[in-house]
Amino acid sequence: MRETGNDSLLALNCGSSSIKFAVFSMDGTRSLKGLVEAIGHGQSPRLRVDGEPARSIGDETSRHADLLPRLIADVILPAVRGSDAQGRIVGVGHRVVHGGDHFDAPVRIDAAARREIAELTPLAPGHQPHNLAGIDAAAAALPDAPQVACFDTAFHLTVPQVRREMALPRDYARQGLIRYGFHGLSYQHVAASLPDLGVAGQRVVACHLGNGSSICALQDGVSVWTSMGFTPLDGLMMGQRPGRLDPGAVLWLLEHHQGDAAMVSKLLNHQSGLAGVSGISGDMRTLLASDAPDAQFAVSMYVDRLVEEIGAAAASLGGCDVVVFSGGIGENSAPIRAMALERLAWLGFALDTQANEASSRKITRHDGQRHAFIIRADEEQVIADAVAGLVG
Protein backbone atom coordinates (compact mmCIF):
# COMPACT_ATOMS: atom_id res chain seq x y z
CA MET A 1 0.00 0.00 0.00
CA ARG A 2 1.41 3.36 -0.98
CA GLU A 3 1.92 6.20 1.45
CA THR A 4 0.63 9.65 0.56
CA GLY A 5 1.85 12.11 3.16
CA ASN A 6 1.04 15.85 3.43
CA ASP A 7 -2.46 17.24 2.93
CA SER A 8 -5.00 15.05 1.17
CA LEU A 9 -8.65 14.96 0.12
CA LEU A 10 -10.83 11.90 0.69
CA ALA A 11 -13.67 10.90 -1.64
CA LEU A 12 -16.26 8.44 -0.29
CA ASN A 13 -18.76 6.87 -2.65
CA CYS A 14 -21.24 4.65 -0.81
CA GLY A 15 -23.37 2.70 -3.25
CA SER A 16 -26.21 0.31 -2.60
CA SER A 17 -23.84 -2.65 -2.12
CA SER A 18 -20.37 -1.10 -2.20
CA ILE A 19 -18.05 1.55 -0.82
CA LYS A 20 -15.61 3.12 -3.24
CA PHE A 21 -12.96 5.40 -1.79
CA ALA A 22 -10.03 7.39 -3.08
CA VAL A 23 -7.43 9.76 -1.65
CA PHE A 24 -6.08 12.66 -3.69
CA SER A 25 -3.25 15.09 -3.08
CA MET A 26 -4.12 18.75 -3.29
CA ASP A 27 -2.87 18.92 -6.89
CA GLY A 28 -5.45 16.30 -7.89
CA THR A 29 -3.13 13.29 -8.04
CA ARG A 30 -4.78 10.08 -6.87
CA SER A 31 -2.64 8.37 -4.22
CA LEU A 32 -4.98 5.65 -2.94
CA LYS A 33 -7.92 3.83 -4.45
CA GLY A 34 -10.07 1.08 -2.98
CA LEU A 35 -13.36 -0.74 -3.11
CA VAL A 36 -15.47 -2.72 -0.67
CA GLU A 37 -18.01 -4.80 -2.59
CA ALA A 38 -20.74 -7.39 -2.01
CA ILE A 39 -22.13 -5.60 1.04
CA GLY A 40 -25.49 -7.08 1.95
CA HIS A 41 -25.24 -9.98 -0.50
CA GLY A 42 -25.26 -12.62 2.23
CA GLN A 43 -21.49 -13.09 2.08
CA SER A 44 -18.43 -11.45 3.61
CA PRO A 45 -17.73 -8.11 1.91
CA ARG A 46 -14.45 -8.01 -0.03
CA LEU A 47 -11.88 -5.20 0.16
CA ARG A 48 -9.54 -4.32 -2.69
CA VAL A 49 -6.93 -1.59 -2.33
CA ASP A 50 -4.77 -0.35 -5.20
CA GLY A 51 -4.95 -3.58 -7.14
CA GLU A 52 -3.91 -5.79 -4.22
CA PRO A 53 -5.63 -9.19 -3.87
CA ALA A 54 -9.10 -9.00 -2.38
CA ARG A 55 -9.58 -9.87 1.26
CA SER A 56 -12.62 -10.25 3.46
CA ILE A 57 -13.64 -7.38 5.66
CA GLY A 58 -16.47 -7.95 8.11
CA ASP A 59 -18.95 -10.79 7.72
CA GLU A 60 -22.27 -11.50 6.03
CA THR A 61 -24.11 -9.32 8.55
CA SER A 62 -21.86 -6.26 8.02
CA ARG A 63 -23.43 -3.13 6.60
CA HIS A 64 -22.03 0.18 5.44
CA ALA A 65 -22.33 1.76 8.90
CA ASP A 66 -20.35 -1.14 10.39
CA LEU A 67 -17.58 -1.09 7.79
CA LEU A 68 -16.95 2.63 7.31
CA PRO A 69 -15.32 3.40 10.72
CA ARG A 70 -12.97 0.42 10.32
CA LEU A 71 -12.20 1.37 6.74
CA ILE A 72 -11.24 4.91 7.69
CA ALA A 73 -9.26 3.94 10.81
CA ASP A 74 -7.49 0.82 9.54
CA VAL A 75 -6.99 1.45 5.82
CA ILE A 76 -7.35 5.09 4.82
CA LEU A 77 -5.75 7.00 7.70
CA PRO A 78 -2.60 4.82 7.97
CA ALA A 79 -2.00 5.28 4.25
CA VAL A 80 -2.53 9.03 4.44
CA ARG A 81 -0.36 9.58 7.51
CA GLY A 82 2.54 7.59 6.11
CA SER A 83 5.60 6.41 8.01
CA ASP A 84 6.26 9.88 9.43
CA ALA A 85 2.64 10.30 10.60
CA GLN A 86 2.57 13.79 9.07
CA GLY A 87 -0.12 13.36 6.45
CA ARG A 88 -3.64 14.54 7.13
CA ILE A 89 -7.04 14.70 5.42
CA VAL A 90 -8.18 18.30 5.04
CA GLY A 91 -11.47 17.70 3.21
CA VAL A 92 -13.94 14.88 2.63
CA GLY A 93 -16.38 14.57 -0.24
CA HIS A 94 -19.39 12.27 -0.48
CA ARG A 95 -21.60 11.03 -3.24
CA VAL A 96 -25.18 11.68 -2.14
CA VAL A 97 -27.76 10.00 -4.34
CA HIS A 98 -30.77 12.26 -3.84
CA GLY A 99 -30.64 16.03 -3.69
CA GLY A 100 -34.32 16.62 -4.42
CA ASP A 101 -35.08 19.84 -6.26
CA HIS A 102 -33.12 21.92 -3.77
CA PHE A 103 -29.49 20.86 -4.14
CA ASP A 104 -28.31 21.83 -7.62
CA ALA A 105 -24.56 21.87 -6.89
CA PRO A 106 -22.07 20.51 -4.32
CA VAL A 107 -22.47 22.01 -0.84
CA ARG A 108 -20.54 22.16 2.41
CA ILE A 109 -22.19 19.84 4.91
CA ASP A 110 -23.41 21.47 8.09
CA ALA A 111 -26.19 20.42 10.46
CA ALA A 112 -28.87 21.94 8.25
CA ALA A 113 -27.57 20.30 5.08
CA ARG A 114 -27.32 16.91 6.79
CA ARG A 115 -30.88 17.26 8.02
CA GLU A 116 -32.14 18.06 4.53
CA ILE A 117 -30.23 15.10 3.08
CA ALA A 118 -31.78 12.83 5.73
CA GLU A 119 -35.26 14.12 4.93
CA LEU A 120 -34.85 12.83 1.37
CA THR A 121 -34.28 9.25 2.57
CA PRO A 122 -37.80 8.05 1.59
CA LEU A 123 -36.96 8.87 -2.04
CA ALA A 124 -33.79 6.72 -2.03
CA PRO A 125 -34.09 4.27 0.89
CA GLY A 126 -31.48 1.92 -0.57
CA HIS A 127 -28.85 4.64 -0.86
CA GLN A 128 -29.40 7.73 1.30
CA PRO A 129 -28.83 5.92 4.62
CA HIS A 130 -25.46 4.65 3.32
CA ASN A 131 -24.52 8.16 2.20
CA LEU A 132 -25.41 9.46 5.65
CA ALA A 133 -23.38 6.66 7.23
CA GLY A 134 -20.36 7.88 5.30
CA ILE A 135 -20.93 11.46 6.42
CA ASP A 136 -21.28 10.42 10.05
CA ALA A 137 -18.26 8.08 10.00
CA ALA A 138 -16.07 10.80 8.50
CA ALA A 139 -17.32 13.37 11.00
CA ALA A 140 -16.43 11.05 13.88
CA ALA A 141 -12.99 10.08 12.54
CA LEU A 142 -12.05 13.47 11.05
CA PRO A 143 -13.88 16.12 13.08
CA ASP A 144 -11.69 18.97 11.81
CA ALA A 145 -12.05 18.17 8.10
CA PRO A 146 -14.83 20.03 6.27
CA GLN A 147 -17.19 17.78 4.34
CA VAL A 148 -18.86 18.29 0.96
CA ALA A 149 -21.93 16.59 -0.50
CA CYS A 150 -22.08 15.97 -4.26
CA PHE A 151 -25.53 15.07 -5.59
CA ASP A 152 -26.36 12.55 -8.29
CA THR A 153 -29.58 14.34 -9.13
CA ALA A 154 -27.98 17.71 -9.90
CA PHE A 155 -26.59 16.64 -13.31
CA HIS A 156 -30.08 15.95 -14.64
CA LEU A 157 -31.55 19.38 -13.92
CA THR A 158 -31.02 20.13 -17.63
CA VAL A 159 -33.59 17.50 -18.68
CA PRO A 160 -36.56 19.34 -20.28
CA GLN A 161 -39.49 19.86 -17.94
CA VAL A 162 -41.82 17.93 -20.26
CA ARG A 163 -39.67 14.87 -19.54
CA ARG A 164 -39.27 15.55 -15.84
CA GLU A 165 -42.96 15.73 -15.05
CA MET A 166 -45.24 12.71 -14.94
CA ALA A 167 -48.65 12.43 -16.61
CA LEU A 168 -50.44 13.30 -13.38
CA PRO A 169 -52.26 16.47 -12.29
CA ARG A 170 -49.49 19.08 -12.37
CA ASP A 171 -50.01 20.06 -8.75
CA TYR A 172 -48.14 16.87 -7.81
CA ALA A 173 -45.11 18.05 -9.76
CA ARG A 174 -45.23 21.33 -7.87
CA GLN A 175 -45.03 19.27 -4.68
CA GLY A 176 -41.87 17.54 -5.93
CA LEU A 177 -43.27 14.42 -7.61
CA ILE A 178 -41.07 14.58 -10.71
CA ARG A 179 -38.40 12.50 -12.43
CA TYR A 180 -35.03 13.40 -10.87
CA GLY A 181 -32.58 10.94 -12.42
CA PHE A 182 -29.50 9.49 -10.73
CA HIS A 183 -25.87 8.38 -11.31
CA GLY A 184 -25.23 12.02 -12.16
CA LEU A 185 -21.61 12.04 -10.94
CA SER A 186 -20.82 9.08 -13.21
CA TYR A 187 -22.44 10.82 -16.18
CA GLN A 188 -20.61 14.03 -15.36
CA HIS A 189 -17.35 12.09 -15.69
CA VAL A 190 -18.51 10.49 -18.95
CA ALA A 191 -19.43 13.89 -20.38
CA ALA A 192 -16.02 15.30 -19.40
CA SER A 193 -14.32 12.34 -21.13
CA LEU A 194 -16.11 12.66 -24.49
CA PRO A 195 -13.76 15.26 -26.02
CA ASP A 196 -10.82 12.87 -25.57
CA LEU A 197 -12.75 10.30 -27.63
CA GLY A 198 -13.41 12.78 -30.41
CA VAL A 199 -17.17 12.52 -29.99
CA ALA A 200 -17.99 15.80 -28.25
CA GLY A 201 -21.20 17.29 -29.61
CA GLN A 202 -22.59 13.98 -30.82
CA ARG A 203 -25.71 12.15 -29.66
CA VAL A 204 -24.46 9.89 -26.88
CA VAL A 205 -26.31 7.20 -24.95
CA ALA A 206 -24.37 6.53 -21.74
CA CYS A 207 -25.09 3.33 -19.81
CA HIS A 208 -24.06 3.14 -16.16
CA LEU A 209 -24.45 -0.57 -15.45
CA GLY A 210 -23.82 -1.99 -12.00
CA ASN A 211 -25.84 -3.22 -9.05
CA GLY A 212 -27.76 -0.04 -9.78
CA SER A 213 -28.16 0.65 -13.49
CA SER A 214 -29.40 3.55 -15.55
CA ILE A 215 -29.08 5.25 -18.92
CA CYS A 216 -28.58 8.91 -19.78
CA ALA A 217 -29.02 10.58 -23.15
CA LEU A 218 -26.37 13.28 -23.64
CA GLN A 219 -26.60 16.05 -26.22
CA ASP A 220 -23.46 18.19 -26.34
CA GLY A 221 -22.47 16.61 -23.03
CA VAL A 222 -25.70 17.68 -21.31
CA SER A 223 -28.34 15.37 -19.87
CA VAL A 224 -31.60 15.56 -21.84
CA TRP A 225 -33.20 12.22 -20.82
CA THR A 226 -32.57 9.57 -18.21
CA SER A 227 -34.11 6.20 -17.42
CA MET A 228 -34.38 6.63 -13.65
CA GLY A 229 -37.16 8.76 -12.27
CA PHE A 230 -38.59 9.90 -8.94
CA THR A 231 -36.53 7.24 -7.15
CA PRO A 232 -33.71 4.87 -8.20
CA LEU A 233 -36.31 2.11 -8.78
CA ASP A 234 -37.27 3.14 -12.30
CA GLY A 235 -35.80 2.28 -15.69
CA LEU A 236 -33.42 -0.62 -16.18
CA MET A 237 -33.55 -3.97 -14.44
CA MET A 238 -30.86 -3.94 -11.73
CA GLY A 239 -29.15 -6.21 -9.24
CA GLN A 240 -31.97 -6.11 -6.69
CA ARG A 241 -34.44 -3.61 -8.19
CA PRO A 242 -36.97 -4.37 -10.92
CA GLY A 243 -36.72 -1.23 -12.99
CA ARG A 244 -39.73 -0.07 -14.98
CA LEU A 245 -43.02 -1.52 -13.66
CA ASP A 246 -46.66 -1.10 -14.50
CA PRO A 247 -48.07 1.01 -11.62
CA GLY A 248 -50.94 -1.45 -11.54
CA ALA A 249 -48.48 -4.17 -10.60
CA VAL A 250 -47.43 -2.15 -7.55
CA LEU A 251 -51.09 -1.69 -6.56
CA TRP A 252 -51.61 -5.45 -6.96
CA LEU A 253 -48.57 -6.16 -4.78
CA LEU A 254 -49.92 -3.85 -2.09
CA GLU A 255 -53.26 -5.65 -2.13
CA HIS A 256 -51.53 -9.03 -2.21
CA HIS A 257 -49.56 -8.09 0.92
CA GLN A 258 -52.60 -6.63 2.72
CA GLY A 259 -51.47 -3.04 2.28
CA ASP A 260 -48.07 -3.63 3.89
CA ALA A 261 -46.13 -0.85 2.14
CA ALA A 262 -42.93 -1.68 4.04
CA MET A 263 -42.99 -5.24 2.75
CA VAL A 264 -43.57 -4.09 -0.83
CA SER A 265 -40.79 -1.52 -0.50
CA LYS A 266 -38.41 -4.25 0.67
CA LEU A 267 -39.46 -6.43 -2.25
CA LEU A 268 -38.88 -3.65 -4.80
CA ASN A 269 -35.64 -2.31 -3.33
CA HIS A 270 -33.89 -5.49 -2.20
CA GLN A 271 -35.53 -8.67 -3.51
CA SER A 272 -36.21 -8.05 -7.19
CA GLY A 273 -34.10 -7.53 -10.33
CA LEU A 274 -31.42 -10.09 -11.10
CA ALA A 275 -31.60 -11.50 -7.57
CA GLY A 276 -35.34 -11.96 -7.62
CA VAL A 277 -35.64 -13.37 -11.12
CA SER A 278 -32.70 -15.76 -10.80
CA GLY A 279 -33.36 -16.77 -7.21
CA ILE A 280 -29.57 -17.08 -6.95
CA SER A 281 -27.78 -13.72 -6.86
CA GLY A 282 -27.90 -10.09 -7.90
CA ASP A 283 -24.24 -10.30 -8.98
CA MET A 284 -23.94 -10.52 -12.77
CA ARG A 285 -20.64 -12.43 -12.50
CA THR A 286 -22.31 -15.19 -10.53
CA LEU A 287 -25.18 -15.46 -13.00
CA LEU A 288 -22.97 -15.54 -16.09
CA ALA A 289 -20.97 -18.36 -14.51
CA SER A 290 -24.09 -20.36 -13.67
CA ASP A 291 -25.80 -22.89 -15.93
CA ALA A 292 -29.05 -22.71 -13.93
CA PRO A 293 -31.99 -21.93 -16.27
CA ASP A 294 -33.28 -19.11 -14.06
CA ALA A 295 -29.83 -17.49 -13.99
CA GLN A 296 -29.70 -17.56 -17.79
CA PHE A 297 -33.25 -16.22 -17.96
CA ALA A 298 -32.35 -13.32 -15.64
CA VAL A 299 -29.38 -12.40 -17.84
CA SER A 300 -31.56 -12.52 -20.96
CA MET A 301 -34.15 -10.30 -19.31
CA TYR A 302 -31.44 -7.82 -18.25
CA VAL A 303 -30.11 -7.52 -21.80
CA ASP A 304 -33.63 -7.22 -23.22
CA ARG A 305 -34.48 -4.34 -20.87
CA LEU A 306 -31.11 -2.70 -21.58
CA VAL A 307 -31.68 -2.70 -25.34
CA GLU A 308 -35.21 -1.35 -24.92
CA GLU A 309 -34.00 1.55 -22.78
CA ILE A 310 -31.15 2.35 -25.16
CA GLY A 311 -33.78 2.56 -27.89
CA ALA A 312 -35.84 4.98 -25.79
CA ALA A 313 -32.77 7.11 -25.12
CA ALA A 314 -31.92 7.17 -28.84
CA ALA A 315 -35.47 8.27 -29.62
CA SER A 316 -35.16 11.13 -27.13
CA LEU A 317 -32.06 12.34 -29.03
CA GLY A 318 -33.52 11.85 -32.49
CA GLY A 319 -30.86 9.22 -33.16
CA CYS A 320 -27.73 7.80 -31.60
CA ASP A 321 -24.11 8.24 -32.69
CA VAL A 322 -22.30 6.72 -29.71
CA VAL A 323 -23.02 4.27 -26.90
CA VAL A 324 -20.84 4.39 -23.77
CA PHE A 325 -20.61 1.57 -21.22
CA SER A 326 -19.59 2.40 -17.65
CA GLY A 327 -20.05 0.99 -14.15
CA GLY A 328 -19.06 -2.43 -12.83
CA ILE A 329 -21.04 -4.47 -15.37
CA GLY A 330 -20.55 -2.02 -18.22
CA GLU A 331 -16.79 -1.97 -17.78
CA ASN A 332 -16.13 -5.60 -16.95
CA SER A 333 -18.77 -7.79 -18.57
CA ALA A 334 -17.84 -8.45 -22.19
CA PRO A 335 -20.78 -10.88 -22.66
CA ILE A 336 -23.36 -8.25 -21.66
CA ARG A 337 -21.80 -5.63 -23.94
CA ALA A 338 -21.67 -8.13 -26.81
CA MET A 339 -25.28 -9.25 -26.42
CA ALA A 340 -26.48 -5.64 -26.25
CA LEU A 341 -24.52 -4.41 -29.26
CA GLU A 342 -25.51 -7.41 -31.37
CA ARG A 343 -29.14 -6.45 -30.69
CA LEU A 344 -28.32 -2.88 -31.73
CA ALA A 345 -26.84 -3.77 -35.12
CA TRP A 346 -29.88 -2.14 -36.75
CA LEU A 347 -28.65 1.19 -35.37
CA GLY A 348 -25.32 0.75 -37.13
CA PHE A 349 -23.21 -0.77 -34.35
CA ALA A 350 -20.71 -3.42 -35.49
CA LEU A 351 -19.05 -5.18 -32.55
CA ASP A 352 -15.29 -5.69 -32.61
CA THR A 353 -15.25 -9.01 -30.75
CA GLN A 354 -11.54 -8.98 -29.98
CA ALA A 355 -11.60 -5.39 -28.69
CA ASN A 356 -14.64 -6.17 -26.60
CA GLU A 357 -13.07 -9.25 -25.02
CA ALA A 358 -10.00 -7.16 -24.18
CA SER A 359 -12.20 -4.37 -22.72
CA SER A 360 -10.50 -1.87 -25.02
CA ARG A 361 -11.65 1.71 -24.94
CA LYS A 362 -13.35 1.39 -28.34
CA ILE A 363 -15.24 -1.87 -28.90
CA THR A 364 -16.81 -1.40 -32.34
CA ARG A 365 -15.25 -1.90 -35.76
CA HIS A 366 -13.75 1.10 -37.50
CA ASP A 367 -15.89 0.49 -40.58
CA GLY A 368 -19.14 0.64 -38.57
CA GLN A 369 -21.58 3.52 -38.83
CA ARG A 370 -21.81 4.03 -35.07
CA HIS A 371 -19.33 3.44 -32.27
CA ALA A 372 -19.30 2.17 -28.71
CA PHE A 373 -16.76 2.92 -25.99
CA ILE A 374 -15.92 1.89 -22.45
CA ILE A 375 -15.33 4.75 -20.03
CA ARG A 376 -14.33 3.62 -16.57
CA ALA A 377 -16.49 5.24 -13.92
CA ASP A 378 -14.63 7.77 -11.80
CA GLU A 379 -17.15 9.44 -9.55
CA GLU A 380 -14.39 9.85 -6.96
CA GLN A 381 -12.45 12.25 -9.20
CA VAL A 382 -15.59 14.34 -9.68
CA ILE A 383 -16.10 14.38 -5.90
CA ALA A 384 -12.48 15.34 -5.21
CA ASP A 385 -12.65 18.19 -7.71
CA ALA A 386 -15.77 19.51 -5.98
CA VAL A 387 -14.12 19.31 -2.56
CA ALA A 388 -11.04 21.14 -3.84
CA GLY A 389 -13.25 23.85 -5.26
CA LEU A 390 -15.18 24.36 -2.04
CA VAL A 391 -12.53 23.90 0.66
CA GLY A 392 -9.41 24.82 -1.25
Side-chain angles (χ1 to χ4, degrees), residues 165-229:
E165 291 195 22
M166 303 179 196
L168 296 168
R170 295 196 71 189
D171 187 55
Y172 289 108
R174 298 184 188 102
Q175 296 175 54
L177 185 57
I178 59 175
R179 300 179 61 83
Y180 291 100
F182 302 93
H183 292 134
L185 302 185
S186 179
Y187 294 127
Q188 185 176 338
H189 172 67
V190 168
S193 302
L194 294 177
D196 291 340
L197 301 176
V199 296
Q202 296 190 39
R203 298 168 298 184
V204 176
V205 175
C207 307
H208 179 97
L209 309 179
N211 188 57
S213 297
S214 70
I215 290 178
C216 178
L218 297 166
Q219 180 69 63
D220 298 324
V222 172
S223 175
V224 297
W225 180 94
T226 186
S227 62
M228 281 184 170

Side-chain angles (χ1 to χ4, degrees), residues 344-359:
L344 293 170
W346 63 277
L347 274 175
F349 291 95
L351 179 69
D352 183 330
T353 302
Q354 186 174 358
N356 183 49
E357 290 292 335
S359 294

Side-chain angles (χ1 to χ4, degrees), residues 16-152:
S16 57
S17 64
S18 66
I19 302 170
K20 297 178 183 177
F21 58 95
V23 174
F24 297 82
S25 62
M26 296 304 292
D27 65 4
T29 303
R30 192 189 316 261
S31 55
L32 181 72
K33 179 180 180 180
L35 166 68
V36 180
E37 58 182 347
I39 305 171
H41 280 276
Q43 54 188 300
S44 296
R46 300 182 299 273
L47 168 66
R48 298 178 187 272
V49 180
D50 280 338
E52 296 177 359
R55 58 185 174 89
S56 293
I57 177 172
D59 56 36
E60 60 272 10
T61 67
S62 298
R63 296 296 181 263
H64 294 69
D66 307 314
L67 297 170
L68 282 157
R70 292 174 53 191
L71 188 64
I72 294 172
D74 299 341
V75 178
I76 295 170
L77 283 177
V80 168
R81 288 168 177 160
S83 58
D84 58 2
Q86 295 301 306
R88 60 179 187 147
I89 293 173
V90 297
V92 184
H94 302 268
R95 172 196 176 205
V96 176
V97 166
H98 216 304
D101 57 2
H102 174 66
F103 293 109
D104 58 0
V107 298
R108 290 277 291 266
I109 300 173
D110 55 17
R114 191 204 178 282
R115 183 170 59 251
E116 291 183 70
I117 292 168
E119 289 171 353
L120 293 166
T121 297
L123 302 185
H127 296 81
Q128 212 83 342
H130 307 324
N131 305 152
L132 290 164
I135 291 169
D136 294 341
L142 305 162
D144 297 326
Q147 299 195 69
V148 173
C150 304
F151 300 93
D152 265 339

